[in-house]
Amino acid sequence: MNREYHRWYSSRLGRDMEVLLFGHSGEPVLLLPTSRGRFYQAEDFGLIGAIADRIQAGRYVVVCPDSVDGESWFNTSIHPHDRVARHAAYEQYLLHEVVPLLMSRSTGGRLTLGGCSFGGFHTYNIGLRHPNTFRRLVSMGGKFETADFLDGHQDDSVYYHSCMQWLPGVSDAAQLAALRRVEMVLAVGEHDFCRPSNEHLSKLLWSKDINNHLAIWWGGTHDWPVWREMIQHYLPW
């Protein structure tokens, strides 16, 4: 299986960022790490191995970036507004630096954004904001509320980077049409503490007539063995 390491200076983030790329052809997949996770996490915890046969066969090209969660959502040393600003810069890094690399190596097809746990949070928090870029969203064990990270702070930036807040107010026909074209998967274990959040987001989406697949993984918990099974199922041949 083709495996590439890339590192470059991101002017959007003001520091070097690292990614791993797997595969030589196929549909593009951007796979985000869990909270404060590194670019090698998906490989170390077996997610890449779980779909290695598909990658090797040319079904997918997968890029795994670093996170900056320790500088944004989890950074209690800075004001909550600045935490969201750092996250916004990360979103721009993904859109304008990582996605172009991924698309240059893929051979076409829909762009999937996915991740486990906090990677699932990012999947929907970023993916719903950019439905014309990401055409498939796959969250595995995600939790989507942001209040716990922001000490009760609220402003416009918080609002527009918290999908549970802005989604109920969407009424623009073009925006709704774009969202309805995205395939959305919310996969969560039966016993995962994030299950209520997934059920809530699924209901919000349906309230806007946005199709989504809420998949309760029976017997599942919030852990890597469950997510390895999920990624095999939701990145099929």
Side-chain angles (χ1 to χ4, degrees), residues 109-112 124 127-137 167 172-185 205-206 208-213:
R110 62 189 173 182
L111 172 54
T112 295
Y124 275 81
L128 290 176
R129 284 167 46 83
H130 301 281
N132 293 316
T133 298
F134 302 107
R135 304 309 299 272
R136 187 167 192 253
L137 307 179
L167 186 60
D172 179 76
Q175 185 179 10
L176 286 169
L179 287 166
R180 289 167 184 157
R181 289 192 293 267
V182 179
E183 181 182 348
M184 301 185 190
V185 175
L205 291 165
W206 281 117
K208 297 294 181 180
D209 293 321
I210 299 170
N211 185 40
N212 67 92
H213 177 52

Side-chain angles (χ1 to χ4, degrees), residues 66-223:
D66 248 333
S67 75
V68 297
D69 300 329
E71 304 166 20
S72 57
W73 299 102
F74 290 88
N75 187 3
T76 57
S77 67
I78 62 175
H79 191 275
H81 176 84
D82 297 326
R83 296 173 209 171
V84 178
R86 188 61 173 165
H87 163 75
Y90 179 66
E91 179 180 288
Q92 292 301 303
Y93 158 75
L94 293 177
L95 289 169
H96 299 293
E97 299 181 49
V98 178
V99 167
L101 169 65
L102 173 57
M103 299 306 288
S104 73
R105 297 305 183 87
S106 79
T107 48
R110 62 189 173 182
L111 172 54
T112 295
L113 181 63
C116 307
S117 192
F118 210 63
F121 161 80
H122 283 308
T123 293
Y124 275 81
N125 222 27
I126 296 172
L128 290 176
R129 284 167 46 83
H130 301 281
N132 293 316
T133 298
F134 302 107
R135 304 309 299 272
R136 187 167 192 253
L137 307 179
V138 180
S139 168
M140 297 165 279
K143 185 175 184 292
F144 309 103
E145 295 80 6
T146 59
D148 290 347
F149 301 102
L150 301 174
D151 307 327
H153 177 75
Q154 185 66 41
D155 61 24
D156 284 350
S157 184
V158 170
Y159 179 84
Y160 287 110
H161 286 279
S162 302
C163 66
M164 295 294 223
Q165 294 190 41
W166 64 259
L167 186 60
V170 173
S171 59
D172 179 76
Q175 185 179 10
L176 286 169
L179 287 166
R180 289 167 184 157
R181 289 192 293 267
V182 179
E183 181 182 348
M184 301 185 190
V185 175
L186 293 161
V188 66
E190 177 188 10
H191 305 297
D192 191 331
F193 65 90
C194 296
R195 178 177 172 178
S197 184
N198 284 260
E199 292 171 335
H200 183 195
L201 179 54
S202 178
K203 288 178 182 178
L204 276 181
L205 291 165
W206 281 117
S207 75
K208 297 294 181 180
D209 293 321
I210 299 170
N211 185 40
N212 67 92
H213 177 52
L214 174 64
I216 307 299
W217 214 259
W218 297 110
T221 58
H222 191 81
D223 205 359

